Amino acid sequence: MTIAFVFPGQGAQTIGMGKALAEAYPVAKAVFDEVDAALGEALSQLIWEGDIETLTLTQNAQPALMATSLAAMRALEAEGVSIDKAAFVAGHSLGEYSALAAAGAISVADTARLLRTRGQAMQSAVPVGEGAMAAILGLDLEAVRAVAEEAAQGEVCQAANDNDPTQVVVSGAKAAVERAAEIAKEKGAKRAVMLPVSAPFHCALMQPAADVMAEALADVAITSPAVPLIANVRADAVTDPDEIRKLLVEQVTGSVRWRESVQSMAAKGVTEFWEIGAGKALSGMIRKIDRNLTSRQVGTAEDVAAITAG
């Protein structure tokens, strides 16, 4: 059995996530303390006792989800399961930063600051209300690319997340994305769902945010990860720090090639995926990508106990 550790992206956040881990494992609590110190605020208090609307703000959700993932990783390590149990790490969008922190390529403090910057930059790149995203269900990537091209009409409209064979997300100007949703239904999509997001992520409209991240990443120490990263925009393994830096910038405007990333890991021998952190969205996608792959969640103290007992 060959295992990959995968890390969730935005949308997995819930109030209270990681609290039981922090109570059960001092090393997990230390992650939240380190993130609070790096950001100069009590983000952990918002995560555990705040309101979901504030937590869901991009600038909060991104470091919060990373903190929860790293707390789960530290709990695993405390039980004797180290990062080299995995053949690869990967993450969905912001989860790529969690993966790199888990693999020791970027410090937790630097990762928290980068994600705060990334969240703020992505939010401010496009005025609220001018961009949108929609999940197209029941059409494959090529069909959705054709829909996006037809819907653009001079505006930005791109396939942003290739999540699994049944779900591709489009992103861009609000009117263009709304057109894409209608065209997709005409082309046979089962559903086209406008997403409750505050900005059009992973499309050309995010270029201002990519520029901010290029500057931010230039000042951060990145080392080779302990295990190779399967990068979002390449759907293949990378270990070189300069290449990782470059791909993290490209990721802001580039597509999240999740379906291909999972297929790439499976082709390299991975048979089991551990979803480290909040939720189980990635596990659901993995099942749809390849029914022969297994997955398990590692987001609670009970999950850690179940894995280390078995």
Side-chain angles (χ1 to χ4, degrees), residues 188-274:
K190 291 177 182 174
R191 292 174 67 204
V193 183
M194 299 299 291
L195 299 180
V197 294
S198 53
F201 306 128
H202 299 292
C203 75
L205 294 176
M206 287 287 110
Q207 188 56 49
D211 296 340
V212 169
M213 291 312 296
E215 193 172 321
L217 284 157
D219 294 332
V220 168
I222 301 178
T223 59
S224 295
V227 297
L229 171 78
I230 303 295
N232 280 188
V233 296
R234 184 175 289 174
D236 205 356
V238 58
T239 56
D240 178 71
D242 290 335
E243 193 68 12
I244 288 169
R245 200 185 309 270
K246 173 173 166 283
L247 294 174
L248 287 173
V249 175
E250 288 181 18
Q251 189 224 57
V252 179
T253 56
S255 295
V256 176
R257 296 167 60 185
W258 187 251
R259 176 182 57 85
E260 293 173 272
S261 294
V262 171
Q263 290 172 334
S264 174
M265 287 182 271
K268 292 172 168 58
V270 172
T271 55
E272 184 169 315
F273 292 79
W274 291 13

